[in-house]
Amino acid sequence: MGVQGLMRRDRSDGCFDLTKNSTIRNSARLQVRAFGKRGMPRLPSQNPAPILIFEVRCDFFDPKTRRDKEGLFHMTFFKRQGLSVWVCGLLASVTAVTAQAQSYPQRPIKAIVPYAAGGFSDQASRIIAEAMSRNLGQNIVIENRAGGGGRIGSEAITKMAPDGYQLLMTTNGTKTYMAVVEKALSYDPVNDFTPISLVGKYGLLMVVNPAVPAKTLPEFLAYARDPKNKGKINYATSGMGSGLHFAGELFNAMGKVDMVHVPYKGSGPGMQDVLAGVCQVIFDGAAKPQIDAGKVRLLGTTSSVRDPRYPDMPTLSEGGLPGYDLTYWVGIFGPKGLPPEIQARLNASVKTALADPDVQRKLNGMGMTLVGSTPEQLVQEIRSETAKLRQIAASIPGGVN
């Protein structure tokens, strides 16, 4: 959508034309000024001579750099081009940008979850996607694109068209934890995305395989510190640099133990190997079914407040690691350059979904505190949390790599 199809060329007057596939992004800021034969901006020699020039100042999306830019464009019309057709086409294209947002969505929406199916983020994303589908009138289809602790799916969304039909439902593991852990992250957690809403926050549950001879956190710390068990305790995570990885390394540092990190493509596959005894420990927000079935044993929670599902279970900070406090969240994003009207439509959809009693029951039952933030609040959360995590990482000997 938008004003398209004009060939780009260098301009001696400091202006430039739209490339073939560039798109006007913000019609609300579009300013058009027409010039007759007098008062025209100085342009390179033209043959035949132009009879009218439109000067347009607006935001546009550049497909080569995949970035929004603000620019001044000169659209030059010649006698042979049919001026009335061009003018009508320009006005129709600008109008189409607004019309697109008003009629959105017109087809199903794909939402990438950058983790394997079965984990906490996957379960929570499916609940919110189903509720949003109802109020949007179009299905939101979950696509699990796992790998790299979430970076593969997150990077994929940055290369997709910002039309509202491709979204990212992810945790702060790909936004804040990975930004601290990764030395050369392939995307900017804030600037390469359009924020939509922070859905809700939760703490992780530290659980162990029942074969581990420890029923409390102090007993586990004593067991893990025993020289006979060095190198024998594996902890599963959703990938290198993920929030679960950060949780395990902070536990190692504060508990003065040496658990071995084993990364998976999501917490779901990691939990399967804990159940099988391949790994002994996992930090997982979705472990309630396994805990209640007696398949794993709960030792504590990562956040500073007790999990409402297990009010009698001390936090890790209360149980033996004073000051241990890590909170996680699920948020929704679009590719960079998403039109503001569509961003607002999706944000309103999230808030409507979270007001649904059935959604509240399901997500609260997973231990999530619902938020439904504005886009601006989501960006602030990312920035403030990243700064906090950098301080924590600096306190860990050797860092988290």
Side-chain angles (χ1 to χ4, degrees):
M1 284 297 187
V3 181
Q4 302 182 1
L6 297 176
M7 298 304 293
R8 182 177 182 137
R9 60 182 178 274
D10 293 333
R11 302 299 299 258
S12 62
D13 60 355
C15 299
F16 47 91
D17 293 328
L18 290 175
T19 58
K20 182 178 179 181
N21 294 315
S22 296
T23 303
I24 295 293
R25 304 298 306 152
N26 189 349
S27 60
R29 295 184 57 188
L30 187 64
Q31 299 175 13
V32 180
R33 188 156 56 107
F35 298 86
K37 290 186 177 180
R38 294 184 178 181
M40 285 186 182
R42 184 173 60 84
L43 300 173
S45 60
Q46 304 278 0
N47 187 21
I51 62 170
L52 185 66
I53 292 177
F54 276 95
E55 182 180 272
V56 181
R57 182 177 296 279
C58 59
D59 295 340
F60 78 102
F61 176 74
D62 186 340
K64 291 185 178 181
T65 62
R66 299 200 60 79
R67 296 287 189 273
D68 276 348
K69 295 182 178 179
E70 179 181 355
L72 182 67
F73 306 97
H74 287 150
M75 283 170 273
T76 308
F77 302 101
F78 306 97
K79 291 181 180 180
R80 67 188 182 200
Q81 290 177 311
L83 178 59
S84 61
V85 175
W86 279 82
V87 172
C88 290
L90 170 63
L91 296 177
S93 297
V94 172
T95 303
V97 176
T98 302
Q100 178 194 33
Q102 291 175 343
S103 61
Y104 170 85
Q106 296 179 323
R107 63 178 190 270
I109 299 167
K110 176 173 67 178
I112 290 179
V113 173
Y115 305 103
F120 187 96
S121 59
D122 176 69
Q123 294 179 39
S125 295
R126 291 179 186 276
I127 292 170
I128 192 69
E130 181 181 359
M132 289 177 66
S133 296
R134 289 195 293 268
N135 68 59
L136 286 172
Q138 290 287 351
N139 287 335
I140 297 181
V141 181
I142 297 293
E143 177 182 315
N144 295 96
R145 195 172 296 194
R151 70 174 63 78
I152 292 177
S154 297
E155 182 179 350
I157 200 73
T158 67
K159 300 176 181 178
M160 295 181 180
D163 56 8
Y165 293 98
Q166 289 81 213
L167 302 176
L168 176 69
M169 293 185 172
T170 188
T171 69
N172 49 342
T174 66
K175 295 293 180 180
T176 59
Y177 289 91
M178 200 162 284
V180 172
V181 174
E182 290 289 327
K183 294 181 179 179
L185 194 57
S186 60
Y187 57 84
D188 187 302
V190 172
N191 296 323
D192 284 343
F193 301 85
T194 297
I196 294 172
S197 183
L198 192 159
V199 175
K201 298 183 177 184
Y202 61 99
L204 299 180
L205 304 172
M206 180 184 177
V207 298
V208 298
N209 183 286
V212 174
K215 292 182 171 56
T216 65
L217 181 59
E219 289 179 4
F220 178 82
L221 290 171
Y223 174 77
R225 290 166 181 164
D226 189 329
K228 294 184 299 183
N229 298 319
K230 183 177 177 60
K232 296 181 180 180
I233 303 175
N234 300 327
Y235 76 96
T237 75
S238 54
M240 294 290 293
S242 64
L244 278 64
H245 182 197
F246 201 99
E249 290 306 302
L250 182 60
F251 187 93
N252 275 343
M254 296 185 68
K256 295 180 174 55
V257 298
D258 190 22
M259 299 188 299
V260 179
H261 177 218
V262 182
Y264 292 82
K265 290 187 175 181
S267 60
M271 174 60 81
Q272 291 304 312
D273 268 6
V274 171
L275 296 177
V278 177
C279 293
Q280 289 67 48
V281 181
I282 189 170
F283 298 84
D284 187 1
K288 187 177 188 300
Q290 292 82 6
I291 295 171
D292 294 349
K295 295 180 179 180
V296 294
R297 183 181 302 125
L298 177 62
L299 296 184
T301 58
T302 63
S303 60
S304 60
V305 295
R306 296 191 179 191
D307 191 296
R309 298 168 294 179
Y310 301 102
D312 296 329
M313 174 57 62
T315 66
L316 295 181
S317 179
E318 294 173 325
L321 299 177
Y324 192 107
D325 178 17
L326 292 179
T327 301
Y328 298 80
W329 49 258
V330 171
I332 303 178
F333 301 80
K336 179 178 174 59
L338 195 66
E341 298 88 349
I342 293 179
Q343 179 189 34
R345 179 83 172 89
L346 289 167
N347 180 266
S349 175
V350 173
K351 292 179 178 178
T352 299
L354 295 181
D356 185 324
D358 187 52
V359 172
Q360 294 175 358
R361 178 183 61 80
K362 290 178 179 177
L363 293 179
N364 289 157
M366 294 175 64
M368 180 179 284
T369 300
L370 306 186
V371 178
S373 76
T374 65
E376 294 76 17
Q377 289 169 335
L378 176 52
V379 170
Q380 181 57 38
E381 179 75 20
I382 293 172
R383 288 177 171 156
S384 61
E385 183 175 274
T386 300
K388 170 189 172 182
L389 293 176
R390 289 193 191 282
Q391 293 180 336
I392 294 175
S395 68
I396 300 175
V400 182
N401 300 302

